[in-house]
Amino acid sequence: MNFNYSEEQNLIANAAKEFAEQYIRPHIMEWDESQHFPVDVLHKAGEMGFMGVFIPEKYGGSGFGYHEYIAIIEEISKVDPSIGLSIAAHNSLCTGHIYYFGNESQKQKWLPKLATGEWIGAWGLTEHNTGSDAGGMNTTAVKDGDHYILNGSKNFITHGRSGNVAVVIARTGKKGDSHGMSAFVVEKGTPGFSSGKKENKLGMRASETAELIFDNCRIHKDNLLGEEGEGFIQSLKILDGGRISIAALSLGISKGAYEASLKYAKERVQFGKPIASFQGISFKLSDMATEIEASELLLHKSAFLKNKGEKVTTLGAMAKMYASETCVKIANDAVQIHGGYGYSKDYPVEKFYRDSKLCTIGEGTTEIQKVVISRNILK
């Protein structure tokens, strides 16, 4: 097996790295402290081809595979995981859902704007009382002639305020019925569709998270993705790919924290020696390097299967679970290696530490990943 990036993949990774250095790094703490969501940077990412990574060129996308996608998310997340999160959510959730389950008319209508970054996408599954238990959602879509009327709300939605369009899962049947939910595309400005509270978060503060509210929101049946009753099943398939996104985000955090720690450990002198020469520090760095390698292998094996069109439910959950838990551990050790400076906002590991925790929660908690994995290995 060849584990090396191709020449094209290296060019894509370098383009993402240069993009992050030029447009993101100068503003990291400014955006973090003000919770500013830099929509203009996502539009710029669209110009670079980062907002429709695996969308075919005929719809305005880049037509790349998942290895390239991982490279882009990883490089951006090494600089600012908040922006990596937003780009990942846009690609894998909203844009991906329309691409995989929309009909040709729907793809032609929405994908060119999303894939080029002209429009920002949101995806709504989670509700206030239904996090891991998404099947118990309360938001409803009631058929009314050629239309559906949506009522309810979604929370913890990436781009809940700034998104131009959202894919929303709503109940069209009985609560708890996996075939009782449907997926709809709702554009910003539709009467009865609004945004609510913006979350004040521990980390990922430059990635906007807010409520979506539906108050007798009337949408045409042409906005239904697939058949009625397929929305939840579609969502589970979308989350399989989304977990590759979070694993890539986690890998970027791990590498960013590790590289900062390696540099610091070589430069910081205590007792007349660089602290890297002390076993307590060098062993932490060796653990970090090994865990990053393992995360990367799991992640790219998942991408390999995804590119082949094979099922990635189990391996994607493994990659997401391992890479996310690993990034929290590595970020924690990075702060420890930096000592008091690691607790200071003058050094990058403080932010990696705060940002890392979301990776063990978003798109299915670690505990849910274990449910997914155990169900599949015990079949």
Side-chain angles (χ1 to χ4, degrees), residues 280-318:
I281 302 298
S282 64
F283 277 17
K284 285 187 187 299
L285 293 168
S286 68
D287 285 344
M288 288 177 174
T290 304
E291 289 158 353
I292 286 170
E293 193 74 16
S295 297
E296 199 157 24
L297 289 169
L298 267 174
L299 181 54
H300 280 285
K301 185 177 180 182
S302 300
F304 174 73
L305 294 179
K306 185 71 175 172
N307 282 344
K308 289 175 66 180
E310 295 185 16
K311 193 172 183 180
V312 295
T313 303
T314 305
L315 200 63
M318 288 177 173

Side-chain angles (χ1 to χ4, degrees), residues 91-221:
N91 273 281
S92 67
L93 299 180
C94 178
T95 307
H97 201 140
I98 295 171
Y99 172 59
Y100 287 118
F101 296 106
N103 58 39
E104 187 59 29
S105 175
Q106 291 168 332
K107 291 178 185 179
Q108 292 285 356
K109 182 176 182 180
W110 288 302
L111 287 182
K113 291 180 179 178
L114 288 165
T116 57
E118 179 185 347
W119 278 16
I120 307 299
W123 191 76
L125 177 66
T126 301
E127 297 183 4
H128 293 274
N129 296 314
T130 57
S132 296
D133 180 23
M137 67 179 58
N138 294 312
T139 298
T140 57
V142 178
K143 192 83 180 284
D144 181 26
D146 287 340
H147 293 78
Y148 286 86
I149 300 174
L150 273 64
N151 280 289
S153 64
K154 300 288 179 179
N155 78 326
F156 297 136
I157 307 304
T158 305
H159 312 148
R161 285 189 175 179
S162 299
N164 302 94
V165 64
V167 172
V168 179
I169 319 304
R171 187 159 54 81
T172 48
K174 293 181 179 179
K175 184 179 287 193
D177 179 3
S178 61
H179 293 281
M181 290 158 278
S182 304
F184 302 90
V185 181
V186 188
E187 292 187 17
K188 191 174 187 177
T190 302
F193 177 38
S194 62
S195 59
K197 176 190 175 188
K198 179 180 175 180
E199 301 295 336
N200 184 6
K201 301 175 297 182
L202 168 72
M204 302 290 192
R205 288 165 64 83
S207 179
E208 178 186 272
T209 307
E211 287 179 308
L212 298 178
I213 298 171
F214 305 93
D215 182 9
N216 291 320
C217 177
R218 189 179 183 86
I219 56 173
H220 196 270
K221 65 180 182 181

Side-chain angles (χ1 to χ4, degrees), residues 53-54 65-74 87-89 91-92 245:
V53 180
F54 49 81
Y66 269 77
H67 295 296
E68 291 84 356
Y69 178 52
I70 289 166
I72 291 166
I73 300 302
E74 175 193 321
I87 292 175
N91 273 281
S92 67
S245 299

